Structures are given as C-alpha cells and as structure tokens.
Amino acid sequence: MTPLPPASRSRWYSLPLVIGFAAFAAIGGFFLYTEHKAHLFGALPWLLILLCPLMHVFMHGRHGSHGGHGGHSAPGGQGDHGKTGGSGESTKK
C-alpha cells in the first residue's frame, strides 16, 4: 500500500466537525452553568480566599525572596521607612 501524496490527504478535522463540536460545547456549557450556578456562586468567596496564597507565591517570584527587601528586620518594626528624606534619598551615611 503506497501512502497518499500530501495534497490528497484529508485532515482529521473539517469545518462541519468543528461547527458541530462548538455547538455541542456551547449547549453543554449553557446547561452546566444553569444547573450548577448556585454551587459556583457559593464557592466563589472561597475561591477568592484560596487565590490569595497563589498570588503571594507567584508575585514574590519577580523580586526574589523576603531577604531581598532590605530592612524588614530592622529594630522597632520601622524597616527603612523612617530613614528617608523628603527626596527619597537615604539620610543615613
């Protein structure tokens, strides 16, 4: 059996198949939403609370660990906040 040339091979998908799948997915999504809307909205506050640790982990990845903040462990709990002048330059030399 010889393979077919590339031009005559049919694709595994076609436009009617894609349209049919999209319609089926839209109808299924509509019924999933309408039947489970109460469960979804009931879980939304908990999902937002669970999102906080994820945001913390991913947003701290941009600037390194907590050790790179410079001054969080200063005595008095002030950090570097009390050591800057009006122009933002450090007054400590």
Side-chain angles (χ1 to χ4, degrees):
M1 180 175 225
T2 61
L4 295 173
S8 65
R9 285 188 206 163
S10 64
R11 291 183 277 184
W12 62 271
Y13 65 91
S14 62
L15 186 60
L17 180 67
V18 170
I19 291 173
F21 179 75
F24 179 75
I27 291 169
F30 171 77
F31 282 116
L32 264 170
Y33 172 74
T34 57
E35 293 295 322
H36 297 285
K37 158 171 63 173
H39 306 297
L40 177 69
F41 291 140
L44 238 137
W46 298 108
L47 292 174
L48 290 174
I49 290 171
L50 288 173
L51 186 63
C52 292
L54 288 174
M55 287 184 357
H56 181 83
V57 167
F58 289 118
M59 293 178 87
H60 272 287
R62 292 187 178 171
H63 63 78
S65 65
H66 281 282
H69 287 281
H72 276 301
S73 61
Q78 290 287 330
D80 284 339
H81 300 295
K83 298 178 184 171
T84 57
S87 64
E89 297 174 0
S90 178
T91 57
K92 183 179 179 182
K93 303 218 182 216

